[in-house]
Amino acid sequence: MSDEAEVKPVDPSQWSCPAPSARVDTIQVAHGGGGRMSQKLMEQVFLPALRNPALEALHDGAILSLPPGRVAFTTDSYVISPIFFPGGDIGSLAVHGTVNDLAMCGARPLHLSAGFIIEEGLPIASLQRIVTSMARAASEAGVTVVTGDTKVVDRGKGDQIFINTAGIGVVPDGVEIAPTRARPGDRVIVSGEIAVHGIAILSVRQGLEFETEMLSDSASLHELVGAALDVAGSYLHVLRDPTRGGVASALNEIATAAGVSIELEERSIPVNQAVQGACELLGFDPLYVANEGKCLAIVAPSHAKAVLDTWRRHPLGRDAAIIGQVREEPKGRLVLHTRIGARRVVDMLSGEQLPRIC
């Protein structure tokens, strides 16, 4: 008997990553392999939608020239379910969310990166729809997607697609926006009806129907911020987009950071009738439901009306309202004056009210 082990031929059909056919309609593992399939995906899906000189270089990164000012930098990840929803999709949401994070710093958004983690089997038509939506949202916001990455995970190891973005913007001289700048006497302004995005997503998941179609409020808010800065300047102290955890969580964080109390008037808070009804039916408090196209501003009392009037002239701010003010005590607390004349403390959520919302 020979000491050498018998070598059996390998059956190509047992390979873990078979060579895909030239024409495919869904994402294959090979699309993430860095070879011809990856190149084809870039040429057919990403470049046509997102084309700009920095991206066309297909380099490991983007080399950019920035205007004078301080650089604002942010990153976020998007895992929303479902990936297509009334009023938007994961692509537009990723752009809106990143643009808004920069705007809340007082920055003018300029450039984004985008990383796609795609599950094997996702229809390429769905990916094209997402990327096209992202390109449209970026164009409307005046930003460019200058670099990115794609990875493919095995079927069942993801949930269709996740997107990670990072963004760069420039903060003009003289602009100082920070949660620590809230001062007693400042007014709290919200740019419109709250809790719309969360209820829109929940309606799709649960099959809820309303008399009017419930659309997400997902939008880029940089123009609203720019308009507020134009009329208030350094009197605009704090900006925040109340996404996960809603208005209540955002204002609790600000009150804690600034060492102040914030008091809200329930009668002044704009809530859509359908949203209010859905919240009552499901046992939700609109103050805790996520928003993706609303802005909170904390402004010195001398300039609050100017910001309010300016926002109401903009399509995204027509329902803006002054909903409360900042007090000195009790520090770190958010207090609500209810419609029946009572007062209650509105605390932070202890957990996630509605997961996979963004």
Side-chain angles (χ1 to χ4, degrees), residues 69-139:
R70 292 161 293 158
V71 173
F73 177 71
T74 188
T75 186
D76 209 343
S77 298
Y78 298 87
V79 298
I80 191 167
S81 177
I83 59 174
F84 300 106
F85 51 85
D89 55 63
I90 192 171
S92 59
L93 180 68
V95 172
H96 294 157
T98 308
V99 165
N100 292 346
D101 285 347
L102 291 170
M104 296 309 119
C105 299
R108 177 165 66 93
L110 296 173
H111 305 295
L112 306 182
S113 71
F116 298 82
I117 300 175
I118 310 169
E119 184 182 15
E120 179 189 12
L122 178 74
I124 291 179
S126 294
L127 180 61
Q128 287 177 318
R129 179 179 169 187
I130 289 166
V131 176
T132 299
S133 176
M134 175 177 279
R136 185 183 308 114
S139 176

Side-chain angles (χ1 to χ4, degrees), residues 135-192:
R136 185 183 308 114
S139 176
E140 291 170 352
V143 299
T144 52
V145 179
V146 294
T147 189
D149 182 49
T150 60
K151 293 291 189 296
V152 177
V153 296
D154 294 337
R155 193 183 301 266
K157 298 296 179 66
D159 191 358
Q160 298 186 83
I161 185 170
F162 300 145
I163 299 177
N164 172 267
T165 54
I168 291 177
V170 171
V171 182
D173 291 338
V175 174
E176 295 290 344
I177 304 294
T180 55
R181 296 194 68 224
R183 298 288 183 266
D186 286 354
R187 301 301 192 259
V188 181
I189 307 174
V190 67
S191 63

Side-chain angles (χ1 to χ4, degrees), residues 272-295:
N272 178 281
Q273 187 174 356
V275 168
Q276 184 67 53
C279 287
E280 291 174 358
L281 177 67
L282 299 166
F284 287 169
D285 184 336
L287 286 172
Y288 290 106
V289 179
N291 310 267
E292 287 293 342
K294 297 298 183 294
C295 178

Side-chain angles (χ1 to χ4, degrees), residues 240-261:
R240 183 65 62 88
D241 57 333
T243 53
R244 289 176 299 170
V247 168
S249 295
L251 291 179
N252 264 293
E253 291 173 357
I254 293 167
T256 299
V260 297
S261 174

Side-chain angles (χ1 to χ4, degrees), residues 274-324:
V275 168
Q276 184 67 53
C279 287
E280 291 174 358
L281 177 67
L282 299 166
F284 287 169
D285 184 336
L287 286 172
Y288 290 106
V289 179
N291 310 267
E292 287 293 342
K294 297 298 183 294
C295 178
L296 291 168
I298 297 182
V299 191
S302 59
H303 287 69
K305 188 175 185 305
V307 171
L308 180 66
D309 291 344
T310 298
W311 277 5
R312 284 179 171 174
R313 289 192 291 268
H314 192 282
L316 294 178
R318 61 179 179 269
D319 297 314
I322 296 176
I323 61 173

Side-chain angles (χ1 to χ4, degrees), residues 44-73:
Q44 292 183 345
V45 176
F46 293 102
L47 277 178
L50 301 171
R51 190 178 302 276
N52 61 77
L55 187 63
E56 284 179 325
L58 297 180
H59 198 15
D60 284 344
I63 300 172
L64 308 169
S65 296
L66 300 178
R70 292 161 293 158
V71 173
F73 177 71

